[in-house]
Amino acid sequence: MFTPQNIEGSSKEKYVMLSKQLAALTEGETDHIAILSNASALLNQALDTINWCGFYLYKNDELLLGPFQGLPACVHITLGRGVCGTAASELKTYRVEDVHAFPGHIACDAASNSEIVVPIVVNGELYGVLDIDSPIKNRFSEEDQEGIELFVETLQKFLV
């Protein structure tokens, strides 16, 4: 039913297309695990030089591992700890050039060298975060950040 495709165009055009693909995949779906699973698979297939892509969901005052693509990961993350916990507690995107220089970084995969984490907010409340790791230092540009934030904006519409 689905086959991997290379998305052509500029970085911005690729992220716009990814967001449209996400909307098409999730249209009419109400199960959040199914939505998040397809979202992580879509990003994993489309983004090059990444080694982990997935979600941590806010439950019981912490982040709990959700659907992802990559090696096994940390299951529980305290708010304010590491890149994911900091992004969640501050409701702010973190784009980290070198995770080893980030205070309190949680090394789930020793191969990860850079990371971007975007908070997911639904109905004004923290829902979780999208976390993407790369083995390449400084992998994520400002254009990547804008595109991934657009992807999360699209995703949030289907998590109400």
Side-chain angles (χ1 to χ4, degrees):
M1 180 173 185
F2 296 99
T3 57
Q5 300 177 12
N6 287 335
I7 302 173
E8 302 297 326
S10 70
S11 180
K12 183 176 182 176
E13 290 168 335
K14 289 178 184 182
Y15 283 111
V16 168
M17 181 56 71
L18 272 175
S19 295
K20 288 179 180 179
Q21 287 177 334
L22 176 64
L25 273 173
T26 56
E27 188 65 41
E29 183 54 62
T30 58
D31 186 90
H32 290 196
I33 298 300
I35 291 168
L36 296 172
S37 296
N38 268 337
S40 64
L42 182 61
L43 285 170
N44 189 58
Q45 180 256 321
L47 300 179
D48 60 348
T49 61
I50 65 167
N51 61 316
W52 202 91
C53 176
F55 299 93
Y56 280 93
L57 308 178
Y58 182 62
K59 294 185 178 188
N60 301 320
D61 295 322
E62 68 175 359
L63 294 174
L64 182 64
L65 182 64
F68 70 94
Q69 305 279 312
L71 294 177
C74 306
V75 176
H76 301 272
I77 298 177
T78 304
L79 288 186
R81 185 162 180 258
V83 182
C84 288
T86 302
S89 67
E90 296 181 11
L91 296 178
K92 172 184 160 190
T93 297
Y94 271 79
R95 181 169 39 102
V96 181
E97 295 177 5
D98 180 357
V99 295
H100 307 290
F102 190 89
H105 170 65
I106 303 167
C108 292
D109 183 346
S112 294
N113 284 309
S114 64
E115 183 172 9
I116 186 165
V117 179
V118 180
I120 302 167
V121 177
V122 176
N123 296 325
E125 300 287 329
L126 176 65
Y127 181 90
V129 298
L130 168 59
D131 179 21
I132 306 174
D133 295 355
S134 173
I136 310 295
K137 285 187 180 179
N138 201 21
R139 157 62 179 87
F140 303 103
S141 67
E142 191 172 318
E143 271 191 349
D144 288 310
Q145 180 174 336
E146 291 170 5
I148 294 166
E149 288 173 340
L150 173 64
F151 188 88
V152 167
E153 283 177 32
T154 302
L155 178 65
Q156 289 170 153
K157 295 173 187 172
F158 295 95
L159 298 175
V160 287

